[in-house]
Amino acid sequence: MSGFSPSTAVLAGTAEPLLLAVIGLLALVILGLAALALLFRRRNRIQAAAAPVPTRPPAAAPTAPTLPRPRPRPVQHVRSGGGAGAGGGLAVATSSAMVCPTCRTEYHGMTYCTSDARRLVPPEEMLGGPGLGPMRALSRSAGLVCMACRRAYEPGLRSCPHDGNELVPFPVYNATRPRRAKTTDPAGVIARICPVCGSKYDLNARFCGHDAGQLVVIN
């Protein structure tokens, strides 16, 4: 009891209310900060709800793929293999051209070869086109020729139906026939006529291209 003084009791009595006041002030500050935080959070939510929602642009309708246009095929022409003595190669032909299977000469608007009276065929047959097997196409690209009248026939015959002479393959005929200066090339002179249909031809032609008749010299 001797160590406790009245001044100490007074200090102890005044410190306790001061501590309570400080604690209460801190609690008020914390509550104020929490209320302020809630206020800002609510304000942000309101602003976010009021902001316009961006709309996506409408998707473009799928367009049908454009197919490439077919390129026009160029018209191809037949190159003549020459006259009866040429026997050259044959190119791809147009639909209007006809070719002699023996001498491979090209004609337009005719049915028979004017050099050997052979019936003309489309070039596709000689090239092994559709509808022909390779053996038949090979047989149509050659022929037999009469050494006397120079008419050509398809393989399979032995003698000429016109004069009865023996037929020989075209390579043999071409190698053994008498050579004349450019007898197969057009002379540029219309001097022969068909006695059957009256068609006129070049001087070096021997047969009518329409009926295979033997031409005669115009008097």
Side-chain angles (χ1 to χ4, degrees), residues 5 15 39 44 69 91-92 100 102 150 176 181 190 202-203 208 211:
S5 64
L39 181 62
N44 291 335
R69 296 182 178 178
V92 179
C100 174
T102 304
R150 302 184 188 178
T176 58
I190 303 299
D202 186 83
L203 178 63
C208 178
D211 50 38

Side-chain angles (χ1 to χ4, degrees), residues 2-95:
S2 61
F4 183 77
S5 64
S7 60
T8 302
V10 173
L11 291 175
T14 57
E16 185 175 355
L18 183 59
L19 180 60
L20 293 175
V22 170
I23 292 174
L25 182 60
L26 290 175
L28 291 176
V29 171
I30 292 172
L31 290 176
L33 292 176
L36 188 61
L38 290 175
L39 181 62
F40 276 108
R41 187 175 181 181
R42 185 178 180 184
R43 183 179 178 183
N44 291 335
R45 286 182 180 179
I46 294 174
Q47 291 179 352
V53 179
T55 58
R56 294 183 179 180
T63 58
T66 56
L67 298 177
R69 296 182 178 178
R71 296 182 178 179
R73 299 180 64 181
V75 178
Q76 297 177 329
H77 300 278
V78 174
R79 293 182 180 178
S80 172
L90 185 70
V92 179
T94 61
S95 58

Side-chain angles (χ1 to χ4, degrees), residues 146-169:
C146 175
M147 295 292 293
C149 66
R150 302 184 188 178
R151 286 182 172 89
Y153 301 93
E154 294 185 5
L157 298 177
R158 299 187 61 180
S159 59
C160 177
H162 182 71
D163 52 30
N165 288 320
E166 184 179 1
L167 302 178
V168 297

